[in-house]
Amino acid sequence: MDEAGNRTESIFRGITEHTPYAQVLVDHDGRIVLVNAYLERLFGYSRDELLGRSIEILIPERFRSRHVAFRQSFSEHPEQKPMGMGRDLCGRRKNGEEVPVEIALSPMRVEDSSYVLAAVADISERKRAEAILRRSEARLNLALSAANAGTWDWDMLEDKVTWSEGSYRLLGLKAGECEPSARNWLARVHPDDRETVKDTVDSVIKRFMAQGEQDAFNLEYRIVHTDGSVRWVYDQGQILYGQDGRPVRMIGIMLDVTERKLAEEQLAAQTRELARSNAELQEFAYVASHDLQEPLRAVAGCVEIIRRRYQGQLDARADEVISHAVDGAARMQTLISDLLAYSRIGSREHHFEPTDCQAVLNTVLANLEVPIRESGAEISHDPIPTIFADRGQLTQLFQNLICNAVKFRGDRKPLIHVGAERRDREWVFSVSDNGIGIAPDYFERIFRIFQRLHGRNEYAGTGIGLAICKRVVERHGGRIWVKSEPGRGTTFFFTVPTDIRAIR
């Protein structure tokens, strides 16, 4: 190698050996003149194996003929080609493997000779990342399509918006049919919702500008399609800010929630209809029960007069009929009274307030003093709390449960215990006894109105008591259930939430 060549190589070595790219110097005829160590490592050739060889040794065979033509064309019209300008290429390693590369070309002259310096970047990692990104985007698009959703990205400084295919679809547009922009998006928003949507987005930006508070928005609004159809969308966006604190971008996702909104509207309509129907039924039950009492009292009074005047003066059959009439009138009065009590449970006349359960229990025991004394019942209780409740209904609840415990005692002395335990966000109350018990098959049935497990000749009652208990507990936002075994006693449990917002 002559002195000029040595000087050229020395300069090349000094410049290229420590660059982060593979570099190769090629002469006018396409022969490799110089390479750096990075290129040796990238392609697996030693320097001696490359020097003097055609540059096509580093090109996959299927591209070599085209590369020769490209090299000749470049030689006739040499110009610098920065990296990233042009197509991605493939190089061929010594072992035959292909490696994706990006190439920058710089024509140069040394003395009277023309050369091309090629900087070669291995973009294998980038290509792998791009492939992963493409697969991720494909999965995302599939998920968005399945969810009937779309994404959007708004460059707020240039008012440039990017919509995904799903966003076009949600806006009632074909991809590319309309230029994406905030203005065109807002034009698709239902006129009745447009001002609210615009104010929501503006308020997020203003709040940040005034308070430095990062924020996002989410709202539901209607989109009007070209054919006039209306769809509901859920839109969630996040504002991104530049280093100077100014909002620069907003990104977000839209979901089609039309079916959910329609279902909610239908459910709301059904709820309103059910509430109206229940109110009418409650009013009917109240009026019917109340209005029936007066004529029933008259009938019961007349029957009682007949019993006092004529019982024992007629034959046995007449006495039996009179007795049945008196008993029937009395049962009817009790039934109507219980039905009236049941219908009143949902009345707005009742008020919830802090209620001392110990005071309620004392009232109940006083009300039941006679049956408790006659049965010899022993009643114990845990310390019981003050809760937020309707005092009158809570009294009715405890009285019904304790009365049942006294009534269904069998042959044993009744032992009754009232318990209370705090569990998470509710109180769990219990009323247990050692009475005749209940078979598991009847655990659900006993809470239905007018359900009786025994004949009237065995145990008196209308079958409304536990139905009233269930309705009271549910109105207080709780649950009621029973555990029992025939002959081994019964325990009724009910809950009352500690959070008054759960009270109905």
Side-chain angles (χ1 to χ4, degrees), residues 147-148 169-170 220-225 229-234 254-266:
N148 208 2
R169 185 174 61 255
L170 288 174
E220 293 179 351
Y221 55 87
R222 289 164 292 179
I223 292 291
V224 181
H225 288 189
S229 61
V230 176
R231 306 292 294 179
W232 278 93
V233 298
Y234 170 81
M254 290 192 298
L255 300 172
D256 188 327
V257 293
T258 304
E259 300 305 321
R260 176 174 64 79
K261 293 294 290 187
L262 292 177
E264 287 176 354
E265 290 174 2
Q266 184 178 9

Side-chain angles (χ1 to χ4, degrees), residues 251-289:
I251 58 174
I253 184 170
M254 290 192 298
L255 300 172
D256 188 327
V257 293
T258 304
E259 300 305 321
R260 176 174 64 79
K261 293 294 290 187
L262 292 177
E264 287 176 354
E265 290 174 2
Q266 184 178 9
L267 180 60
Q270 291 174 344
T271 301
R272 288 192 297 270
E273 176 61 22
L274 183 60
R276 184 195 61 79
S277 177
N278 283 343
E280 290 180 353
L281 183 60
Q282 182 174 305
E283 182 66 17
F284 171 78
Y286 178 81
V287 171
S289 300

